[in-house]
């Protein structure tokens, strides 16, 4: 049943949302079904609940997190569900008439039902985490409701403010709940409620309590988080009536009641909760007096009443809790009706400003009468429900034991709040329904449609009935509610209007008298209408939020300013820290343990000199780009020589070839870049960079040195041993490339081919402006072109030679591919791109694809023999005449490499060589 | 004797390389530097051959061949740039 | 006969080139087995085909009788002149009388001109710098000469004349 | 030998880092090139290089690291060279496009204000 | 012999190659068809892969039939399978979105897309550090292409920063690998782990320097605190489908950190045991805070989303560096869902941008976009999920994470997690209200370009993943918990990898 | 192995290295580009040629077999050196302010259209 109850609002929200073509009435009816059916379910469950049974259902959702989908209904939950559904039903009815033709009822009721569902879920959750989940859902759905009139700035702002504050509270609550879970070891409500002593004894208790209270205070608009509530009044009135009487703000005090057995009973709880409650109570009431907006006044009044309830729970005596629960019920009734009445007034007069209203009892007597009844209930006038709970409150305030000062403070606060409450209620009644007015209205107000008035009437009558015969009406309900909250500790109490003449009654009388005096006295003293109250809370919030936004903007823009230099500098700095940290102070020991350095023949030092000199030379001349390129060519050559010298011919070959192609690419690019670097006038920056470069270089050199002099233990011995017998190659480097680590090469050619694609993609459709266009027609270099005629076929032959020999001597697919590509590059340079493209006619793009597929085929072939990808096979083919032809399957793979490298290189070169140039004339467009 | 000759030769060629390096760094014009780089390439071939003789191995043949065959590519490209800025017209 | 020639052109675009490739492969592979000779033949056939995709026209050789004397002469000149240049380089710089000289060309075949510039560059003391746009003059730079006209005459007789035979 | 290699790595890295921190695209590319030389040398040196023992197996010479240098770092460097080349090509082209599209060769695609002011002064 | 381990790399690569062959001559629809065929094949192989590891098996695939230490081995455990699955699931909506038109405007899009997938999967599957580098590069080069193909102006500029920074980081990667190979003499992760455990104090220092550099690289790619500056612009400028796909790229860095610093430098690594995590925890928390600031201060929605990516990276760093099974499990649950939801937000931002005319996705107060209902709803779902509000997957991830924070650091870690969530709520509520809640009477009549169905479908699919992850949170968390347990007991995997014998060859001699 | 052969080899080597060095000295010492280019363009080429020749003989004598393929390197060197020299000279010329004037440049010579194509080869007889 509980699942059904909870599913109702969500299911119908979905139905409403999807009923695109339904009439307004249908939509409202659909929405109205929820409270109707829901109340039916409640009625069905009432018997058990009133008997004190706790109804439960439980489904595992995320047992790992302790988050079960468990629902639980006791008296407290039942009563709250009753409020949520009952007042919800009235609000649906009211809202149907309230919404104007421009407002989409579909959207409105969808949000409303979502909210109703969230609220219901929160109330009947049987797992604290689940409760927190629904708690946040109420924040989100109320955000949508408050911002319903999203074209209005105050609505947007109010909605965001509410979301921010209550969202923050929700996160805090989540933290608190998690801490409770940590203490108790379960989130199950029954377990938690039974573990009050354990919780209170835990060292985490203050944190858990603080976080939970933060959630409660924000939700229930307690000082200092109260300010979001008045701004939420930008919502349509049905929303205010619903959220700020029976539901949203009550979620906080609901939780206070719910967790009362688990959290209450310590001094910390007492001081914080009652202190905050008392402050809110008085402050809210005081500010309510000075509101000009009907809903504003009601909002501050709500704050004040929530303060009262909080205060009662803070007092923590059983009777105080009962009083608090009672006031929750009462407040829901009179406040909902008052909001709806205010909405009617707004609806009929077009304003909610009390300075323009007045004397409405003549124009809309019925509404006025109902509103006056509700206001009197709010003021706590006898024979109305508000009086009863207020009396209980006064009584409890006077009976605080053990906390001497607090007793006085709270009693005075209670009295003050009573006085203020009378004053603002009086102002509400007087300024709206009596006196002169209304002024400057565009319409002549009259009674609203009957069905709009009915909800107000129902609630007002309830206020009266409860106020007169409480024991018969609300008594059992309150009892059930209290039992749900307090369990075994529920006190015996009787509800009656007359307790005899006692101190609480005196306080009521006093507050009535002083309240009337205060209102009229204030009217005499100052012009109410000129008083402008500013919500300091809002001010502070707004200012801080703006500050947060601008701080975030400024900070983010300042830190992530898009500067590449900064990014790189950060990278370097972290690198220095991470790599330098372990070495600091340990370097001497590090290099002491190895076999020690070996001497290098003079030859090696000469090559070293070329590396060092041209490397530094590059830095010195880097501003002049052509020069820098030539000089860096020296570095490349010398590094290659170093490779040769140190037993790495394959490396040297590759390095040299890549060097040539790189220089060609850079020269092509240089045509579209400035010839010189602009000099920067930032000596400090240069100094810093020089310093960090030296540190980085020195550090890396030191690391390299330490590594080289420490003993090595590598798997390479095994590679050497197994290369020839098992991989059929003498050039172990090539064997590694195509066999042992063929998968690396596989990835590498993918990178290579893809790089060519990227170059192609970047330049194909682009039009670039050369930095400088040389005058005259293209230069022909016939002699050079002619001389390379013989070079080309020979280079091709060499390429094939290097390719076939690669497995046993320096060479291989990559080197051979480049050796093929480079003479074509020379052709491009000497004959011009157009001429080459016209005759050469290879589709380089497809070449890359074909090469990659070949490599895959070379690797997948081994699957035929049921061995993994890239396993090399070996086959000796005996051919007539020719003799033995050794074939390694790695050859197919290497062919793929060859083709990709050739095609990729040429795709890059030809793309860069055939860039479409943009003329200065086009530039102007 | 022959080993000594090879070693002496390697040092001579090494000096040649250092001299080219000097020109490479000093310039003054771009063609000077290109020329220096070209010379560096040619000297490298000599160096490789000598080294192969010293080690009594043929393993450096491929490297020398490729430098001889393509070492001038850099020269071609750089010179074309000086002549026309656009190396592929 | 007229139909055969284009076919031959397609099949074997340049016989000299094919020959070069053939020899080149065998030399490089250092393997004179039947299998490798087949390979060399395949390459000799294939490589010029590929090269033909990039060349408008291969050099066609005329009479080759003179070429051997030319090569011999060239090698000798390279040797001798290198010594001269060595002396000049190692001597004081101010004794050098460098200058540019325009050599008028009788060669019209571009392949011939290319060969000539190579020869001029390879022989010490002279470097060919530029071919005039009409391809009738070749600019050469002499490291040190006092009689440019004699130099021009020598180049024309020693190198250009035999080259005109090879590249008609 | 270790000293030579290590110091060469150091100098290359220092030069590369300095250029990497320049503000012009081309300088940065040069810096990356130098850095990749340093990187390659470092990986290479992880095989404890020796003179004249290339890892190409000869008959009659036992296949151990006593007779041949470590081939694995060489293979790694080969891969690294190729990848660095691919990356350089892409960077170069981006630099071209940036200069063409944004009319500046500053790495951030716009001239910093202070430098412009400095230039005008 | 089961070859399923290599399929996630080969399938996209072959698809890419085929697409490259077809590209010039075939119409877009043909290319799309082939791309989808490839995607379907990938999905199928992915399911097969998941089945292999579901019961805790680790698949070791010895490429070239060499023992793991000599060649390259692919290692598929639960973590790899999870990452590969996330990639595949992400790729489907990205491709769907791109097929709405961007694929025609970006040259080689399809081929690059497939290469990107191959790179990602390769990085997730390999058990060899150098091979990891190679696949990082495959992934990066494809990402450069995807980012820059069809780019102009500002995107080129962002690309410059992204590319150069990544190349620099890759250089450091190589340096680290050089040092590690030099000290350990192997590149196979399992073998490295064995050797690291046996290191003496002097050598340990050098290895630690190398491992530190390696950590730097992964953190740079994952965009951890001082190294994140490259991310916002690059992600905010990338084409929508690409930006969405990129959301997994930072996770690759995170994956690598998790893999290597649990396996090689994990709890059983002798002197270097767990040395990285104490550095990462505060850095992760600080990243969260800065990222949250970025979300709040973002002038454009897409920049905000980029910071959300960063926020999720920070969260994951915190989760992983807490080091207990619960936190790692929480992170592993959080990871895919954050990928999906941020990807959805990128797509959504693009839809919004196009429909708001000149204002794009700038969070300026102007008329709300026309035809906003569906995008607004999607935005709401995404925002709720990404900021970690209940009840969607983001919440569950964070909940699990909060649950697993040990008590000694609970204060500031919780503050960072909850605080950044709040800031995200603030930032996103502002974005949402500015984008959808402003009705300008003038703009109301303007006819909006119709929303493309496939684009919305792609977004919904991504958000749908999140909802599925919410509903089935239980089983998924069980999987991630098993994964975390597997990660925290590296010796099992080490034995498994080292012990795997080749089919034909002798094991190691 | 005969000392005479050794001596010849050593001589070849020294000559080769000397010329290689000579090219570099020229590069260092001479005054301007056009003077310098003379050195490397051939002295070095010749020097390397000598060394290569010595190498062939050396390997032959030392028992590692006849490897005439090193000749190929010489072939390539002699083939490419003139191209390099020619192009560098053109580059240097293009930077010169006072280029040597053409001997018979007529006023209308400049308007002569330069043919894109190589001149057609003469018909075969
Ligand atoms: Na490779
Ligand atoms: Na790199």
């Amino acid at each position: 049943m509980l699942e059904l109850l909870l599913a109702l609002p969500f299911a119908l929200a979905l139905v409403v949302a999807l009923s695109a073509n339904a009439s307004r009435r249908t939509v409202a009816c659909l929405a109205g079904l929820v409270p109707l059916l829901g109340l039916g379910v409640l009625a069905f469950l009432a018997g058990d609940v009133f008997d004190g049974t706790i109804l439960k259902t439980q489904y595992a959702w995320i047992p790992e997190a302790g988050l079960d989908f468990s629902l639980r209904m006791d008296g407290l939950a039942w009563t709250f569900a009753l409020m949520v559904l009952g007042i919800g039903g009235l609000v649906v009815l009211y809202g149907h008439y309230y919404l104007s033709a421009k407002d989409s009822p579909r959207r409105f009721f969808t949000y409303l039902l979502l909210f109703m569902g969230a609220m219901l879920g929160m109330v009947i959750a049987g797992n604290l985490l689940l409760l927190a989940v629904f708690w946040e859902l109420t924040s989100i759905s109320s955000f949508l409701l408050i911002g319903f009139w999203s074209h209005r700035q105050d609505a947007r702002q109010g909605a965001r403010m509410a979301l921010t504050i209550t969202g923050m509270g929700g996160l805090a609550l989540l933290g608190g709940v998690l801490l409770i879970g940590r203490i108790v070891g379960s989130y199950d409500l029954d377990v938690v409620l039974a573990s009050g002593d354990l919780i209170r004894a835990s060292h985490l208790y203050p944190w858990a309590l603080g976080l939970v209270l933060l959630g409660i205070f924000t939700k229930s608009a307690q000082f200092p988080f109260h300010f979001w509530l008045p701004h939420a009044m930008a919502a349509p009135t049905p929303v205010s009536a619903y959220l700020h009487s029976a539901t949203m703000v009550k979620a906080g005090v609901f939780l206070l009641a719910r967790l009362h057995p688990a959290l209450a009973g310590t001094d910390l709880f007492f001081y914080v909760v009652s202190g905050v409650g008392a402050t809110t109570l008085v402050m809210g009431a005081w500010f309510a007096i000075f509101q000009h907006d009907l809903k504003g006044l009601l909002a501050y009044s709500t704050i004040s009443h929530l303060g009262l309830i909080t205060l009662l729970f803070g007092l923590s005596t059983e009777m105080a809790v009962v009083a608090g629960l009672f006031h929750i019920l009462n407040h829901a009734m009179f406040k909902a009706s008052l909001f709806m009445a205010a909405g009617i007034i707004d609806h009929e007069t077009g304003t909610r400003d009390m300075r323009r209203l007045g004397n409405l009892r003549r124009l809309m007597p019925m509404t006025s009468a109902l509103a006056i009844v509700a206001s009197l209930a709010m003021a706590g006038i006898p024979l109305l429900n508000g009086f009863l709970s207020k009396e209980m409150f006064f009584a409890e305030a006077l009976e605080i034991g053990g906390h001497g000062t607090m007793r006085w403070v709270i009693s005075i606060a209670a009295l003050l709040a009573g006085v203020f409450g009378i004053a603002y209620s009086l102002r509400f009644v007087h300024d709206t329904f009596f006196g002169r007015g209304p002024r400057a209205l565009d319409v002549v107000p009259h009674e609203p449609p009957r069905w709009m008035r009915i909800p107000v009437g129902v609630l007002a009558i309830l206020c009266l009935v409860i106020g007169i015969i409480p024991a018969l009406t609300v008594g059992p309900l309150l009892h059930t509610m209290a039992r749900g909250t307090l369990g075994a500790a529920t006190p015996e109490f009787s509800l009656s209007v007359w307790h005899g003449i006692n101190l609480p009654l005196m306080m009521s009388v006093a507050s009535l008298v002083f309240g009337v005096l205060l209102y009229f006295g204030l009217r005499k003293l100052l012009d109410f209408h000129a008083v402008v109250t500013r919500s300091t809370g809002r001010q502070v919030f707004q200012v801080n939020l703006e500050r947060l936004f601008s701080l975030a903007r400024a900070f983010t823009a300042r830190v992530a300013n898009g500067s590449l230099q900064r990014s790189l500098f950060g990278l370097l700095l972290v690198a220095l820290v991470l790599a330098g940290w372990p070495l600091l102070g340990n370097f001497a020991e590090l290099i002491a343990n190895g076999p020690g350095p070996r001497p290098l023949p003079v030859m090696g030092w000469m090559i070293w000199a070329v590396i060092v000199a041209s490397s530094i030379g590059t830095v010195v001349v880097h501003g002049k780009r052509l020069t820098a390129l030539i000089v860096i060519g020296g570095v490349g050559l010398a590094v290659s020589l170093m490779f040769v010298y140190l037993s790495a011919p394959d490396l040297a070959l590759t390095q040299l070839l890549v060097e040539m192609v790189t220089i060609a690419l850079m020269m092509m690019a240089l045509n579209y870049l400035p010839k010189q670097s602009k000099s920067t006038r930032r000596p400090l920056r240069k100094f810093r960079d020089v310093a960090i470069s030296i540190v980085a270089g020195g550090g890396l050199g030191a690391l390299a040195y330490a590594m080289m002099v420490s003993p090595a233990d590598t798997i390479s011995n095994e590679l050497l041993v197994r290369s020839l017998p098992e991989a059929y190659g003498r050039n172990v480097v090539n064997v590694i490339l195509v066999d042992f680590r063929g998968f690396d090469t596989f990835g590498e050619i993918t990178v290579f081919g893809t790089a060519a694609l990227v170059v192609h993609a970047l330049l194909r459709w682009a039009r670039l402006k050369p930095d400088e266009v040389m005058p005259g027609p293209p230069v022909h270099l016939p002699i050079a072109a002619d001389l390379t005629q013989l070079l080309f076929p020979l280079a091709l032959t060499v390429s094939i030679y290097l390719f076939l020999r690669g497995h046993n001597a320096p060479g291989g697919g990559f080197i051979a591919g480049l050796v093929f590509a480079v003479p074509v590059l020379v052709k491009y340079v000497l004959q011009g791109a157009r001429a080459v493209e016209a005759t050469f006619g290879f589709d380089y793009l497809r070449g890359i694809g074909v090469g990659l597929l070949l490599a895959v085929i070379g690797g997948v072939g081994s699957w035929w023999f049921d061995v993994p990808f890239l396993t090399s096979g070996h086959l000796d083919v005996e051919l007539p005449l020719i003799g033995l032809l050794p074939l390694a399957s790695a050859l197919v793979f290497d062919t793929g490499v060859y083709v990709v490298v050739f095609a990729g290189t040429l795709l890059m070169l030809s793309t860069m060589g055939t860039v479409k140039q943009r003329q200065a004339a086009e530039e102007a467009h | 004797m022959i080993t000594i000759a090879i070693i002496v030769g390697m040092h001579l060629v090494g000096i040649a390389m250092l001299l080219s390096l000097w020109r490479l760094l000093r310039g003054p014009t771009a063609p000077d530097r290109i020329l220096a780089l070209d010379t560096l390439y040619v000297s490298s071939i000599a160096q490789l051959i000598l080294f192969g003789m010293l080690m009594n191995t043929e393993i450096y043949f491929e490297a020398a061949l490729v430098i001889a065959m393509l070492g001038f590519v850099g020269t071609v490209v750089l010179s074309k740039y000086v002549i026309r800025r656009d190396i592929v017209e | 006969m007229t139909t055969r020639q284009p076919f031959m052109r397609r099949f074997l675009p340049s016989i000299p080139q094919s020959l070069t490739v053939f020899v080149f492969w065998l030399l490089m592979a250092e393997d004179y087995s039947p299998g490798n000779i087949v390979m060399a033949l395949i390459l000799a056939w294939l490589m010029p085909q590929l090269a033909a995709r990039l060349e408008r026209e291969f050099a066609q050789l005329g009479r080759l009788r003179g070429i051997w004397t030319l090569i011999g002469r060239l090698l000798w000149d390279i040797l001798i002149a290198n010594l001269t240049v060595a002396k000049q380089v190692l001597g004081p710089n101010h004794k050098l009388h460098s200058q540019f000289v325009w050599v008028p060309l009788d060669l019209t075949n571009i392949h011939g001109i290319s060969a000539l510039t190579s020869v001029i560059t390879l022989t010490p003391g002279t470097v060919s710098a530029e071919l005039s746009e009409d391809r009738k003059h070749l600019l050469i730079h002499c490291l040190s000469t006092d009689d440019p006209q004699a130099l021009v005459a020598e180049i024309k007789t020693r190198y250009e004349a035999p080259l005109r035979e090879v590249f008609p | 030998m270790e000293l030579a290699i290590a110091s060469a790595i150091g100098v290359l890295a220092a030069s590369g880092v300095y250029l990497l921190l320049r503000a012009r695209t081309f300088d940065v590319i040069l810096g990356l090139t130098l850095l990749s030389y340093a990187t390659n040398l470092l990986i290479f040196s992880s095989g404890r290089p020796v003179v004249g023992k290339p890892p190409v197996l000869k008959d009659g010479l036992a296949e151990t690291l006593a007779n041949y240098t470590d081939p694995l770092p060489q293979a790694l460097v080969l891969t690294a060279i190729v990848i660095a080349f691919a990356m350089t090509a892409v960077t170069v082209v981006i630099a071209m496009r940036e200069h063409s599209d944004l009319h500046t060769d500053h790495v951030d695609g716009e001239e910093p204000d202070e430098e412009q002011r400095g230039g005008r002064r | 012999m089961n070859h399923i381990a290599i399929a996630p790399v080969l399938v996209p690569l072959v698809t890419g190659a085929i697409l490259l062959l077809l590209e010039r001559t075939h119409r877009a629809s043909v290319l799309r068809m082939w791309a989808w065929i490839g995607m379907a094949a990938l999905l199928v192989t992915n399911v097969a892969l998941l089945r292999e590891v579901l019961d805790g098996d680790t698949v070791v695939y010895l490429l070239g039939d060499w023992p793991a230490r000599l060649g390259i081995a692919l290692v598929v455990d639960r973590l790899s399978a999870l990452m590969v699955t996330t990639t595949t699931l992400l790729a489907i909506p990205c491709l769907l979105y791109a097929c709405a038109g961007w694929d025609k405007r970006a040259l080689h899009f399809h081929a690059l897309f497939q290469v990107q997938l191959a790179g990602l999967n390769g990085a997730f599957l390999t058990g060899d550090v150098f091979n990891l580098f190679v696949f990082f590069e495959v992934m990066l080069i494809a990402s450069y292409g995807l980012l820059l193909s069809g780019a102009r102006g500002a995107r080129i500029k962002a690309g410059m920063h992204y590319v150069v920074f990544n190349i620099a980081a890759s250089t450091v990667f190589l340096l680290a690998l050089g040092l590690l190979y030099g000290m350990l003499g192997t590149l196979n992760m399992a073998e490295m782990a064995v050797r690291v455990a046996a290191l003496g104090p002097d050598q340990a220092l050098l290895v630690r320097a190398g491992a530190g550099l390696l950590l730097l690289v992964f953190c740079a790619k994952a965009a951890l605190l001082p190294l994140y500056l490259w991310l916002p612009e690059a992600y905010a400028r990338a084409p929508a489908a690409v930006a969405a796909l990129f959301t997994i790229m930072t996770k690759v860095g995170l994956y690598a950190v998790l893999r290597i610093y649990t396996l090689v430098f994990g709890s059983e690594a002798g002197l270097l045991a767990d040395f990285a995590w104490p550095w990462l925890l505060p850095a992760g928390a600080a990243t969260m805070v800065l990222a949250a600031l970025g979300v709040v201060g973002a002038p454009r929605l897409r920049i905000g989303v980029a910071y959300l990516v960063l926020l999720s990276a920070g969260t994951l760093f915190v989760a992983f560096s807490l080091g207990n099974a619960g936190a790692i499990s929480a992170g592993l649950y959080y990871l895919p869902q954050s990928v999906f939801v941020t990807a959805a937000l990128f797509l959504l931002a693009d839809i919004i941008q196009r429909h708001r005319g000149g204002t794009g996705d700038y969070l300026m107060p102007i008329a709300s976009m026309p035809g906003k209902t569906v995008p607004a709803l999607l935005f709401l779902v995404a925002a709720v999920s990404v900021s970690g509000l209940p009840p969607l997957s983001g919440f569950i991830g964070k909940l699990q994470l909060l649950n697993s924070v040990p008590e000694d650091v609970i204060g500031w870690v919780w503050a960072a997690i909850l605080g950044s969530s709040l800031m995200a709520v603030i930032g996103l509520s502002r974005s949402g209200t500015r984008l959808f809640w402003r009705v300008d009477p003038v703009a109301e009549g303007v006819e909006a370009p119709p929303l493309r169905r496939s684009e919305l479908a792609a977004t919904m699919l991504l958000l749908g993943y999140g909802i599925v992850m919410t509903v089935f949170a239980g089983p998924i968390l069980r999987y991630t918990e098993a994964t975390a347990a597997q990660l925290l007991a590296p010796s099992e995997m080490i034995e498994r990898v080292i012990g795997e014998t080749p089919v034909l060859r002798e094991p190691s001699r | 192995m005969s000392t005479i052969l050794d001596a010849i080899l050593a001589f070849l080597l020294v000559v080769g290295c000397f010329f290689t060095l000579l090219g570099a000295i020229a590069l260092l010492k001479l005054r301007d580009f056009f003077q310098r280019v003379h050195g490397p363009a051939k002295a070095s080429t010749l020097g390397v040629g000598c060394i290569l020749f010595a190498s062939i003989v050396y390997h032959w004598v030392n028992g590692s077999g006849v490897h005439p393929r090193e000749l190929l390197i010489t072939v390539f060197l002699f083939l490419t050196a003139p191209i390099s020299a020619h192009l560098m000279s053109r580059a240097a010329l293009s930077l010169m302010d006072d280029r040597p004037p053409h001997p018979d440049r007529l006023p209308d010579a400049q308007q002569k259209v330069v043919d894109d194509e190589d001149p057609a080869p003469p018909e075969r007889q």
Side-chain angles (χ1 to χ4, degrees), chain A residues 737 745 748, chain D residues 79:
Chain A
L737 288 178
T745 308
E748 169 199 326
Chain D
T79 303

Side-chain angles (χ1 to χ4, degrees), chain F residues 5-55:
Chain F
L5 198 62
D6 250 21
I8 294 174
L9 272 180
F11 175 74
L12 262 178
L13 277 178
V14 170
V15 168
C17 295
F18 168 73
F19 276 112
T20 311
L21 185 59
L22 184 77
I25 291 175
L27 186 65
L28 183 77
K29 176 171 172 271
L30 299 179
R31 281 189 306 251
D32 61 22
F33 172 81
F34 278 101
Q35 288 192 348
R36 289 178 197 134
V37 77
H38 287 275
K42 45 237 143 177
S44 301
T45 315
L46 177 73
V48 175
C50 286
I51 295 172
L52 276 164
F53 190 67
S55 169

Side-chain angles (χ1 to χ4, degrees), chain A residues 538-657:
Chain A
R538 174 188 170 247
Q539 215 76 4
V540 170
F541 174 82
Q542 212 62 15
V543 165
N544 279 331
L545 203 65
E546 274 318 306
R547 200 173 284 162
L548 174 70
F549 277 123
S550 55
L551 175 92
R553 217 179 357 256
F555 181 80
T556 307
R558 184 135 186 85
V559 173
N561 63 352
S563 164
L564 175 63
Q565 285 158 291
R566 177 175 295 183
S567 277
L568 294 173
F569 192 76
L571 186 76
L572 272 170
L573 225 51
V574 180
L576 284 179
V577 171
L578 284 176
W581 191 270
L583 295 189
L584 233 53
N586 296 318
F587 191 70
E589 296 156 43
L590 274 184
I591 58 176
N593 284 5
R598 294 159 293 165
L600 183 72
V602 181
M603 246 329 288
W605 284 106
M606 284 177 176
I607 300 173
W608 175 88
V610 180
I611 294 180
V612 169
S614 36
S615 166
I616 295 172
T618 307
V619 173
V620 173
V621 301
H622 79 266
K624 291 180 189 146
R625 283 158 180 192
L626 175 63
T627 314
L629 264 184
I630 302 171
V631 177
I632 212 174
V635 185
L637 178 64
V639 170
S640 312
L641 280 180
M642 191 63 120
F643 284 146
V644 174
Y645 194 67
L646 298 175
S647 324
D650 279 279
L651 272 189
L653 270 173
T654 314
Q655 176 77 67
L656 275 169
L657 287 164

